[in-house]
């Protein structure tokens, strides 16, 4: 079952590590896929970029895939189009349980009901079509 507003707010308030799938490196100013992780980092959240097209972002080495993360994030924040979500869901479901985040967060405008249902059936909590940055700011961090 998707998280309600209060649960999503609590997840944003307590997260210490967020892996950002589709994060950009800031080369193109104004992109939410850089500015939102930057804001989270400024508020004390460790941000882990996941994007095979960049080397690093915000002083953190980028990894090509979620399986390459050396740290288990609290949240996997996704900045990819909705049609990419089934592939990301498969990648998340293939992770061993000890390497899984608690929550998958699909940014504003990103939804895929079938993939979200598969993630929930696989033990993940899911938030879709909401901006994690807004929730981090609302949380008072």
């Amino acid at each position: 079952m998707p998280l309600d507003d209060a649960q999503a707010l609590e997840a944003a308030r307590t997260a210490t590590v967020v892996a950002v799938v589709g994060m950009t490196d800031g080369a193109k100013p104004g992109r939410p896929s850089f500015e939102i992780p930057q804001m989270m980092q400024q508020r004390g959240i460790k941000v882990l970029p996941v994007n095979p097209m960049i080397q690093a972002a915000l002083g953190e080495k980028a990894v090509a895939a979620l399986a390459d993360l050396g740290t288990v994030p609290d949240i996997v924040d996704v900045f990819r189009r909705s049609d990419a979500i089934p592939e990301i869901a498969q990648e998340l479901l293939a992770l061993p349980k000890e390497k899984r985040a608690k929550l998958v967060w699909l940014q504003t405008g990103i939804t895929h009901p079938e993939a979200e249902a598969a993630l929930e059936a696989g033990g993940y909590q899911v938030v879709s079509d909401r901006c994690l940055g807004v929730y981090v700011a609302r949380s008072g961090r």
Side-chain angles (χ1 to χ4, degrees):
M1 194 152 102
L3 270 64
D4 65 24
D5 190 68
Q7 293 168 317
L9 188 60
E10 180 64 10
R13 187 187 69 74
T14 59
T16 59
V17 179
V18 175
V20 183
V21 177
M23 183 173 171
T24 54
D25 60 8
K28 293 181 182 177
R31 295 186 81 175
S33 55
F34 179 78
E35 289 187 350
I36 291 168
Q38 181 180 45
M39 179 273 290
M40 290 190 296
Q41 185 184 63
Q42 290 167 347
R43 292 173 186 239
I45 298 171
K46 183 172 181 70
V47 174
L48 306 173
V50 181
N51 184 338
M53 305 304 288
I54 64 172
Q55 297 297 311
L58 299 174
E60 297 286 343
K61 183 180 185 288
V63 297
L66 290 161
D68 299 330
L69 290 170
T71 302
V72 179
D74 299 305
I75 299 173
V76 173
D77 185 21
V78 181
F79 281 93
R80 296 283 311 277
R81 293 188 337 227
S82 293
D83 62 1
I85 302 308
E87 182 180 331
I88 294 166
Q90 287 178 346
E91 184 179 354
L92 286 160
L93 292 166
L95 293 172
K97 293 214 185 276
E98 65 275 4
K99 291 191 81 175
R100 290 184 177 192
K102 299 172 191 140
L103 173 62
V104 178
W105 194 296
L106 306 179
Q107 282 289 343
T108 304
I110 304 170
T111 63
H112 195 288
E114 295 85 5
E116 292 169 44
L119 286 166
E120 289 172 349
Y124 288 96
Q125 295 176 311
V126 178
V127 172
S128 65
D129 193 22
R130 290 189 254 176
C131 179
L132 179 54
V134 169
Y135 279 79
V136 169
R138 281 182 52 206
S139 75
R141 290 184 84 137

